[in-house]
């Protein structure tokens, strides 16, 4: 994992693209570890810790402006032990020091710049610093010299601040041990109402610019619609998904979603593409397609997953992490167009049609460049009416234009792709591919999920029953975190329900047992790091949704989904402990606990257990795939079995494929036709 470069005191992680990208600047960078910490102690130097990631625009700006500057680098090398960390490889360090940044500055982000004592306690923190004072921010050189003086002349004050901040971190995610009743559905209702009140009624989404998808809150609103029958929630979710699909946040040519929109209309994105967004959003679009029967939602989901297969898939299985916003040194250059470029590719007639469809004007909409981020300005129906043409002809011409523009775009210099494979993010994408394969009856998605799962189980197993975090260029390393275990287990559950291959179910159960052994605190809460992991100033809990769902919430959902296969109640009672422990947090911060609230909905609604015996007719599976059943547990056996409660006593009738629907410890009569099965499932 650690290799010496030509300069003996500069160490880098070979596997991290982020740490490799600027490995040759004049700063003597070290990876996090005992050598760097010991050096700081021996030389009595403070530590400068820089945390970033490969597709972070301002991380690269600070690299170019400050870390590449020989004079600034000389100050850093002389007065500090400099450590650089990839946040995607070390979410524990990012969680600890991002928390203190938010506590102290009321904001956070990346690059995260932290100054520490040799015993890891922070005493100064910020994000991006320009080399000299501007944007209302102090210059990095100025900050460095002020901290050098403080370390020399005001050491006791520095250490006092460090002690206070370390104590604040220790108390930051404390949860009271709660006893008493489980939370009820009112908690979900209150959260859904709060989300609905924040929806932008014109453009969808939450609040103003910048605007993020907030997928987990939208998922909860869709679940609440299912439970309550209140059509407002379906209306607000589908509004948001339509506007996103029409906007520049969605790659209109290649499929897939950019990270967020810089405006409230979803028009101009920050152009990085993250694997996790393109895993969780297709599932939401598929759910909306099932709930609202709008074909466009299915199309967006399929185009997104097709993009992942085409551009983000490792040759041996597994999925890459991200692509940058920049190419050829300019943000968005790969994605934006002007009218002349489009006409040159398509000719005047088709070019003008495409320009009208995608809102391409001479003025443009991107940073006064005359370039346009493609978005749906005139839908096919409006164009057909305006041009007095058959809709089918317009759609065919638009499809041809898209195909040819995509071919032309592929000749451009693409953004940098971060080709590390992260276990948690891959677990999310395995879920997306497996659920899409099952619901849409697309075998290529199921096969892609299977290859990825097999890749992870062979290349990211640590040989001792556990998981590793990251794989890159033949190297795997870093002990797995809670989200790695939980998200991979969830993906394997989904893959089992898509394939009925019990090896995936068995591995999901085993990983969930490992999750409890390594991360569970025994009273309803989960830690981010494993027991016995390296000593840090704080062992953080994994409580809140961020870009990915909270590991604790995914773990709770896994426990409930796997409970029907258990001969005891341990998984269910552990999930109940988690709901009690997180009750106040869910009440106070529904936006950060939407995934835990989804798990609570699963619990309170009672899962819909569908057991197929003796066969799985394609017509049944296709019809099931069209239904919005967020609490479905789907399983199949060839003959009666008694090794799991969900299979016990269920036999085929007359040798024909048979289905049973169970809820609340009660099962339907056997169904041998889809009409009977649909009746037992209910409306």
């Amino acid at each position: 994992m650690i290799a010496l470069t030509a300069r003996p005191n500069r160490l880098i992680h070979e596997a991290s693209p982020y740490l490799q990208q600027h490995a040759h600047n004049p700063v003597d960078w070290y990876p996090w570890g005992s050598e760097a910490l010991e050096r700081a102690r021996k030389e009595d130097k403070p530590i400068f810790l820089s945390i970033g990631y490969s597709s972070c625009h301002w991380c690269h700006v600070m690299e170019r402006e400050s870390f590449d500057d020989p004079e600034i680098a000389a100050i850093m090398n002389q007065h500090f032990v400099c450590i650089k960390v990839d946040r995607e490889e070390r979410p524990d360090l990012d969680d600890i020091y991002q928390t203190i940044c938010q506590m102290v500055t009321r904001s956070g982000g990346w690059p995260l710049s932290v100054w520490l004592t040799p015993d890891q306690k922070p005493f100064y923190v910020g994000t991006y610093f320009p080399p000299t004072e501007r944007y209302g921010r102090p210059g990095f050189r100025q900050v460095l010299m002020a901290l050098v003086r403080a370390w020399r002349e005001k050491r006791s004050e520095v250490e006092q601040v460090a002690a206070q901040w370390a104590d604040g971190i220790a108390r930051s995610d404390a949860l009271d041990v709660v006893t008493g009743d489980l939370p009820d559905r009112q908690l979900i209702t209150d959260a859904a109402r709060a989300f609905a009140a924040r929806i932008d009624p014109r453009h969808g989404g939450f609040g103003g610019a910048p605007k993020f998808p907030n997928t987990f809150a939208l998922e909860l609103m869709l679940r609440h619609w299912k439970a309550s029958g209140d059509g407002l929630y379906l209306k607000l979710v589908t509004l948001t998904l339509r506007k996103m699909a029409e906007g520049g946040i969605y790659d209109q040519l290649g499929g897939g979603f950019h990270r967020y929109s810089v405006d409230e209309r979803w028009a101009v994105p920050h152009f990085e593409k993250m694997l996790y967004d393109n895993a969780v959003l297709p599932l939401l679009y598929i759910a909306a397609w099932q709930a609202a029967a709008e074909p466009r939602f299915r199309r967006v989901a399929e185009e997104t997953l097709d993009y992942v297969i085409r551009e983000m898939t490792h040759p041996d299985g597994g999925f890459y992490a991200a692509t940058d916003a920049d190419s050829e040194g300019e943000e968005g250059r790969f994605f934006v167009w002007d009218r002349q470029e489009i006409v040159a590719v398509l000719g005047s007639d088709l070019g003008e049609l495409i320009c009208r469809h995608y809102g391409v004007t001479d003025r443009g909409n991107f940073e006064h460049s005359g370039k346009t981020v493609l978005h749906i300005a005139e839908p096919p129906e409006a164009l057909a009416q305006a041009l007095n043409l058959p809709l089918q002809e317009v759609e065919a011409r638009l499809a041809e234009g898209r195909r040819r523009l995509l071919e032309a775009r592929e000749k451009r210099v693409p953004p940098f792709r971060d080709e590390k494979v992260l276990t948690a993010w891959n677990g999310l994408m395995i879920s997306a591919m497996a659920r899409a394969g099952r619901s849409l009856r697309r075998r290529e998605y199921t096969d892609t999920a299977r290859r990825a799962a097999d890749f992870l189980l062979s290349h990211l197993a640590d040989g001792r029953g556990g998981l590793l975090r990251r794989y890159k260029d033949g190297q795997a390393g870093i002990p797995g975190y809670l989200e790695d275990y939980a998200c991979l287990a969830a993906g394997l559950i989904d893959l089992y329900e898509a394939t009925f291959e019990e090896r995936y179910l068995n591995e999901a159960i085993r990983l969930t047992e490992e999750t409890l052994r390594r991360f569970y605190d025994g009273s309803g809460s989960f830690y981010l790091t494993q027991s016995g992991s390296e000593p840090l100033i704080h062992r953080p809990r994994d409580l809140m949704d961020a870009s990915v769902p909270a590991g604790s919430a995914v773990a709770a959902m896994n426990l409930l989904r796997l409970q029907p296969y258990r001969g005891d109640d341990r998984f269910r009672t552990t999930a109940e402990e988690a709901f009690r422990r997180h009750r106040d947090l869910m009440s106070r911060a529904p936006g950060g606990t939407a995934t835990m609230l989804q798990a609570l909905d699963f619990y309170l609604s009672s899962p819909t257990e569908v057991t197929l015996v003796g066969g799985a007719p394609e017509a049944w599976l296709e019809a099931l795939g069209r239904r919005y059943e967020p609490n479905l547990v789907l399983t199949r056996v060839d003959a009666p079995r008694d090794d799991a409660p969900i299979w016990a006593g269920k036999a085929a009738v007359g040798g024909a494929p048979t289905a049973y629907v169970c809820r609340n410890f009660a099962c339907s009569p056997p169904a041998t036709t889809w009409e009977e099965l649909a009746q037992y499932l209910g409306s």
Side-chain angles (χ1 to χ4, degrees):
M1 280 177 48
I2 298 174
L4 286 168
T5 65
R7 296 176 60 167
N9 62 339
R10 185 195 295 162
L11 302 169
I12 63 169
H13 281 279
E14 290 180 333
S16 171
Y18 171 64
L19 301 185
Q20 287 178 330
Q21 279 175 314
H22 302 278
H24 300 293
N25 68 34
V27 179
D28 294 336
W29 291 113
Y30 287 80
W32 183 273
S34 58
E35 181 172 348
L37 299 175
E38 180 61 26
R39 184 182 182 93
R41 284 190 290 268
K42 288 180 66 174
E43 298 182 6
D44 192 31
K45 288 182 177 179
I47 294 166
F48 170 65
L49 174 63
S50 178
I51 302 179
Y53 58 101
S54 292
S55 54
C56 168
H57 173 73
W58 287 105
C59 297
H60 300 318
V61 171
M62 193 165 174
E63 290 275 2
R64 292 193 301 268
E65 291 180 340
S66 295
F67 303 156
D68 285 347
D69 183 292
E71 293 183 6
I72 292 178
I75 296 171
M76 296 171 68
N77 293 338
Q78 179 180 354
H79 297 290
F80 302 91
V81 172
C82 299
I83 296 176
K84 188 185 288 187
V85 167
D86 183 337
R87 68 172 289 257
E88 294 166 354
E89 292 190 343
R90 292 300 304 262
D92 51 346
L93 295 173
D94 184 61
D95 182 278
I96 291 169
Y97 296 114
Q98 194 70 243
T99 297
I100 198 64
C101 185
Q102 293 167 353
M103 290 171 58
V104 173
T105 70
R106 304 298 182 188
S107 65
W110 299 275
L112 182 61
S113 303
V114 194
W115 285 263
L116 315 173
T117 64
D119 58 355
Q120 308 179 33
K121 295 177 181 177
F123 62 89
Y124 193 80
V125 66
T127 53
Y128 162 75
F129 291 96
T132 56
E133 183 177 0
R134 63 173 184 261
Y135 313 129
R137 295 170 177 262
F140 190 58
R141 183 185 283 105
Q142 171 190 353
V143 170
L144 290 173
M145 294 312 301
L147 294 175
V148 168
R149 290 192 295 272
W151 185 256
R152 289 175 177 171
E153 301 168 10
K154 300 180 180 179
R155 175 71 70 88
S156 62
E157 295 178 26
V158 168
E159 292 177 344
Q160 184 178 9
V161 168
Q164 291 173 347
W165 287 8
D167 182 61
I169 294 171
R171 291 184 280 105
S172 63
D173 59 6
L175 289 173
D176 294 332
V177 177
V178 179
T179 59
D181 295 336
L182 283 160
D184 59 21
R185 181 161 292 281
Q186 189 63 44
L187 205 59
I188 298 169
T189 300
D190 291 345
R193 287 173 177 168
F195 296 154
R198 292 177 49 219
I199 290 277
D200 177 345
R202 183 176 181 185
H203 302 295
F206 298 96
K211 186 172 278 186
F212 289 80
N214 283 326
T215 309
F216 314 125
L218 294 170
E219 287 180 327
L220 186 74
M221 291 174 66
L222 204 56
R223 281 175 168 271
H224 183 61
W225 162 75
K226 173 76 172 180
S228 68
D230 188 335
L232 171 66
Y233 297 94
L234 179 62
K235 177 182 177 181
L236 293 175
V237 171
T238 54
L239 166 70
T240 299
L241 297 187
R242 286 188 209 105
K243 294 298 185 180
M244 287 176 58
E246 293 169 357
I249 192 174
Y250 183 66
D251 182 352
Q252 300 292 337
L253 296 184
F257 288 87
H258 301 291
R259 183 70 193 96
Y260 62 89
S261 174
V262 302
D263 61 273
E264 75 281 359
R265 297 178 295 112
W266 307 107
V268 178
H270 181 51
F271 289 91
E272 64 183 335
K273 284 184 175 180
M274 309 301 296
L275 183 68
Y276 48 73
D277 290 320
N278 290 290
V280 298
L281 279 167
L283 289 181
L284 180 57
Y285 273 87
I286 290 170
W289 166 71
Q290 293 167 328
E294 288 194 26
R296 80 178 87 183
F297 294 152
R298 173 173 179 156
R299 175 182 58 80
V300 168
E302 290 177 321
E303 289 175 353
T304 300
L305 296 177
D306 291 345
Y307 147 74
V308 171
I309 293 173
R310 184 179 68 245
E311 299 185 28
M312 298 296 287
T313 302
H314 189 285
D316 298 326
F319 306 101
Y320 300 133
T323 55
D324 274 6
D326 299 3
S327 54
E328 299 183 82
E330 295 181 18
E331 183 175 0
R333 179 167 182 166
F334 182 76
F335 296 99
V336 297
W337 297 81
D338 61 34
R339 183 186 296 273
Q340 291 72 26
E341 290 171 324
I342 290 175
V343 171
V345 173
L346 301 179
S348 58
D349 290 345
L350 183 54
E352 287 302 320
L353 180 68
I354 286 289
C355 286
R356 286 186 64 173
H357 180 54
Y358 288 126
V360 180
T361 63
D362 292 332
R363 181 178 180 182
N365 68 353
F366 182 59
E367 296 185 348
H368 310 291
S369 64
K371 304 278 188 177
T372 297
V373 182
L374 303 186
H375 58 284
I376 307 299
E378 291 188 65
E381 297 81 2
L383 287 170
Q385 184 175 5
L387 300 173
N388 195 28
L389 292 172
L391 176 60
Q392 187 175 5
E393 179 181 340
V394 170
E395 289 177 333
R397 293 178 64 188
L398 292 175
E400 172 69 9
R402 280 195 300 271
R403 182 187 64 79
R404 289 167 59 184
L405 285 182
L406 182 60
E407 288 179 354
R409 194 178 79 175
E410 288 174 348
K411 298 175 183 177
R412 297 177 176 179
V413 177
F416 170 79
R417 183 172 64 190
D418 183 345
E419 295 188 352
K420 64 177 179 283
V421 175
L422 296 172
T423 300
W425 300 8
N426 272 248
L428 294 173
M429 186 56 73
I430 290 168
S431 281
M433 290 287 177
R435 286 205 221 174
R438 181 182 68 78
S439 298
L440 308 180
R441 310 313 297 158
R442 293 282 300 271
R443 181 174 177 178
E444 64 270 35
Y445 296 155
T446 306
D447 289 345
T448 300
R450 183 187 286 109
R451 289 182 67 243
D454 293 346
F455 179 88
L456 264 66
L457 293 174
S458 61
H459 289 84
L460 282 147
D462 67 4
R464 299 181 300 276
L467 296 173
L468 298 172
R469 169 71 170 176
R470 177 264 297 134
Y471 177 92
K472 174 72 167 59
D473 294 336
Q475 297 183 2
I478 307 173
Y481 298 95
L482 172 62
E483 66 180 18
D484 296 307
Y485 284 75
C487 290
L488 181 54
L492 294 174
I493 298 170
D494 287 316
L495 186 53
Y496 165 71
E497 293 189 351
T499 64
F500 301 122
E501 294 181 33
E502 285 187 38
R503 62 190 178 108
Y504 297 123
L505 174 64
N506 293 335
E507 187 64 16
I509 293 171
R510 189 191 69 79
L511 285 176
T512 301
E513 293 278 11
E514 289 292 324
T515 301
L516 296 179
R517 187 172 72 83
R518 296 168 184 255
F519 301 97
Y520 186 57
D521 75 350
S523 63
S525 184
F526 294 83
Y527 289 104
L528 174 62
T529 57
Q530 300 186 37
S531 56
S533 56
E534 71 171 296
L536 303 174
I537 62 168
H538 175 53
R539 188 183 180 196
R541 300 179 190 273
D542 189 350
L543 301 175
M544 305 284 279
D545 296 334
S547 302
V548 298
S552 56
V554 179
M557 182 70 88
N558 291 345
L559 292 167
L560 294 171
R561 295 178 72 188
L562 293 172
Q563 178 58 48
Y565 300 97
R566 300 282 297 188
D568 58 37
D569 290 333
R570 182 188 177 208
F571 280 12
R572 180 186 295 110
T573 57
T574 302
E576 290 171 346
E577 290 168 356
F579 296 141
R580 289 190 181 94
R581 190 82 185 271
H582 291 77
R583 182 176 61 199
D584 291 344
L585 185 63
M586 288 188 284
S587 177
R588 287 186 285 107
T593 56
T595 305
M596 185 64 83
L597 285 161
Q598 290 181 54
L600 180 62
D601 174 78
F602 185 100
Y603 174 82
L604 294 173
S605 300
S606 297
T608 300
E609 300 172 8
V610 176
T611 302
L612 305 175
V613 186
E618 177 61 26
W620 294 9
L621 295 175
E622 185 176 344
L624 270 175
R626 290 195 299 268
R627 295 177 63 96
Y628 178 59
E629 297 284 352
N631 300 319
L632 179 68
V633 174
L634 182 63
T635 188
R636 187 185 76 83
V637 289
D638 292 320
R641 293 169 56 174
D642 59 5
D643 50 333
I646 194 171
W647 298 325
K650 296 180 175 68
V653 174
T658 304
Y660 296 82
V661 179
C662 302
R663 294 189 186 93
N664 290 319
F665 309 101
C667 294
S668 71
T672 56
T673 66
W674 168 252
E675 290 72 21
E676 290 176 325
L677 177 53
Q679 177 185 349
Y680 299 146
L681 285 169
S683 60

